[in-house]
Structures are given as C-alpha cells and as structure tokens.
Amino acid sequence: MKLGGLGLLTSLLCLAQTPLASVAGSIFDERGAPVIAARLSLQGERTPLYLAKSTEQGTFRFPRMEPGTYTLTIEQPGFCKLTIPSIAVAAGEQKSLARVALKLPPDGQECE
C-alpha cells in the first residue's frame, strides 16, 4: 500500500515541476492608441480556458499556462472581434505577441 501512495506522490511531484509557459502582448487600434479592457480568451484543445483583460497601456499577459497550441480571441465593443489561431507555446517559453491591431468596423457596416 505504501508503494502505491509513493508512486502517486512521485507522479504528482513530476507534474508540479513541469515548466509552465506564458503569453503576453499589447493591443492597439488602427491609429496606434492602446485598447483598454479588451476581453481576451486563450483556448487549447486539451487545456483549460485562460481569460485576461488588457491594461490601461493595452498590454495583456497569461502568466501561468500549460504548454500547448492555443487560439487567442480578442473582443472589445466598438471593434471587430479578432481570432489568432495556432499559437504554439512550449514548456518554459515566454511568447510575445508584440503589437496586435484591432480594426474598427467599416462605417455603417458590421465586422466580417
């Protein structure tokens, strides 16, 4: 019985030591102004859903993520929704998405 418990503990410790990844970046509008309080979601196929909001400077960060491939979705009222697929992040990697630009909808039209 002790051996089974020790094996489980060892497995849990190994999982806890797996280096996590992070994704960070900044969001701007077409004129170069930061987009404040944009809602961001990062979803992988076999990973948890991660949520964040952009700061007053338009920056965002997902600090402690499982390694994997993700789709980033950015939404902000008054702007077109943006989806960025296939963001691969390796264990221990700190991926940077430098300047992401949100588009304004065309005058009197909906976003595509």
Side-chain angles (χ1 to χ4, degrees), residues 10-26:
T10 302
S11 296
L12 290 173
L13 287 174
C14 288
L15 284 174
Q17 293 176 2
T18 301
L20 297 175
S22 68
V23 172
S26 53

Side-chain angles (χ1 to χ4, degrees), residues 27 35-40 52-55 74-76 102:
I27 307 168
V35 177
I36 300 167
R39 293 181 312 273
L40 298 99
K53 280 196 173 189
S54 59
T55 66
I74 305 171
E75 297 179 272
Q76 176 69 341
L102 286 185

Side-chain angles (χ1 to χ4, degrees), residues 73-86:
T73 302
I74 305 171
E75 297 179 272
Q76 176 69 341
F79 290 90
C80 296
K81 178 173 140 180
L82 178 64
T83 301
I84 304 171
S86 304

Side-chain angles (χ1 to χ4, degrees), residues 3-98:
L3 185 57
L6 180 60
L8 177 61
L9 178 61
T10 302
S11 296
L12 290 173
L13 287 174
C14 288
L15 284 174
Q17 293 176 2
T18 301
L20 297 175
S22 68
V23 172
S26 53
I27 307 168
F28 293 88
D29 66 18
E30 294 173 309
R31 296 173 299 229
V35 177
I36 300 167
R39 293 181 312 273
L40 298 99
S41 62
L42 201 56
Q43 180 67 62
E45 287 184 20
R46 295 183 182 100
T47 58
L49 171 67
Y50 298 98
L51 301 172
K53 280 196 173 189
S54 59
T55 66
E56 290 183 8
Q57 294 78 31
T59 61
F60 65 90
R61 181 169 172 81
F62 295 95
R64 299 180 48 83
M65 308 167 29
E66 293 181 22
T69 301
Y70 294 88
T71 297
L72 175 64
T73 302
I74 305 171
E75 297 179 272
Q76 176 69 341
F79 290 90
C80 296
K81 178 173 140 180
L82 178 64
T83 301
I84 304 171
S86 304
I87 300 172
V89 216
E93 181 178 8
Q94 296 179 1
K95 183 166 289 281
S96 176
L97 304 175

